[in-house]
Structure formats: structure tokens, C-alpha cells
Amino acid sequence: AVIVAMAWQALERWRQRSHPGAHLAGIGALLFMASDAALGVNRFRGTFPGSAVLVLGTYYAAQFLFAASVRKRAAVPLG
């Protein structure tokens, strides 16, 4: 529920165009949800081919996009 709330908030900020990096955070949130879903399936339903690549690939891409969104937001003067 917490991850869904985080993604929802990030997507709403993107939809409202609240700051220049919001789209990066929104895409990162979707990738983070995909990573967590794949991890849950892998752990509780059984492993599947390419699970490690899917879980880690989406996780690291999400973290990169989160950091890029913060960097892009920091480059814009407040006010």
C-alpha cells in the first residue's frame, strides 16, 4: 500500500507538471512498482526466467530516475 501511495503521488505531481523533474519521478515510481511486483512473484510464486534481471534492472532504473528528478528539480530556482 505504501509503494502504491508513493507512485500515485509521483504520478499526480507529473500530471500537474509541478516541477521539471516530475516526469522522471513518475516513471521511476512505475518502475519501482514493477520491480517490487516482480520480486513478490519471484519470492512467493516461484522463480521465473530472467527474474533477477527484471527485478534489479527495474529497481536500478527507478533509483536512477529518482536521483535524476531531484537533480533536475534542484537546478530550478525556487520562487
Side-chain angles (χ1 to χ4, degrees):
V2 172
I3 292 174
V4 171
M6 178 268 312
W8 184 4
Q9 188 173 31
L11 292 171
E12 277 299 307
R13 290 182 63 93
W14 181 12
R15 188 181 68 79
Q16 295 173 5
R17 294 176 175 83
S18 62
H19 65 81
H23 68 288
L24 298 173
I27 296 167
L30 292 175
L31 287 172
F32 194 78
M33 282 183 57
S35 173
D36 201 53
L39 182 63
V41 169
N42 188 43
R43 181 157 314 228
F44 299 110
R45 291 295 227 178
T47 60
F48 55 92
S51 61
V53 172
L54 181 63
V55 170
L56 291 176
T58 53
Y59 176 79
Y60 287 125
Q63 295 302 317
F64 174 80
L65 289 171
F66 291 150
S69 75
V70 170
R71 184 174 180 164
K72 193 163 191 169
R73 174 64 178 107
V76 176
L78 295 176

